[in-house]
Amino acid sequence: MSDDIWRRPEIESPCVKICVIHPDTRLCVGCRRTGDEIAAWSRLTPEERRAIMADLPSRPEGPGRRGGSRARRQG
C-alpha cells in the first residue's frame, strides 16, 4: 500500500529552527511569525498559511542578525 493516501498537499512551515520571540517586535527572530501564528500553524487552512507566507517578506527582520565582516562590525 502506498503512503500517498496519507500525504496532504500542505504549505511547508517557514521555521528555520531559530525559535526566539523578540520582546519588542513580538515576532520570531528566525521565521518572522507571531507566537500565535506559530502555535496555530498546524490548524490553519492552506489559504491562511499562504496569506502568512506572503506577508512574511514585508515584516521586519529580527534584531540581532549580524551581517558583514567582523572588521566592519568593529570599525
Side-chain angles (χ1 to χ4, degrees):
M1 181 173 255
S2 171
D3 284 339
D4 290 340
I5 294 171
W6 302 107
R7 293 178 200 245
R8 297 183 342 191
E10 295 185 358
I11 306 296
E12 292 293 324
S13 169
C15 180
V16 294
K17 311 263 189 293
I18 302 173
C19 305
V20 177
I21 302 295
H22 190 273
D24 294 333
T25 65
R26 305 303 303 157
L27 297 175
C28 175
V29 174
C31 69
R32 301 187 215 166
R33 290 180 292 170
T34 67
D36 289 342
E37 290 169 340
I38 293 167
W41 191 258
S42 65
R43 297 182 309 275
L44 296 176
T45 66
E47 293 77 22
E48 291 168 322
R49 289 181 181 190
R50 277 189 209 97
I52 292 169
M53 294 292 284
D55 189 51
L56 293 179
S58 69
R59 297 180 183 185
E61 273 199 43
R65 286 191 178 186
R66 293 189 284 176
S69 69
R70 182 173 183 245
R72 189 171 75 192
R73 285 193 304 269
Q74 291 177 340

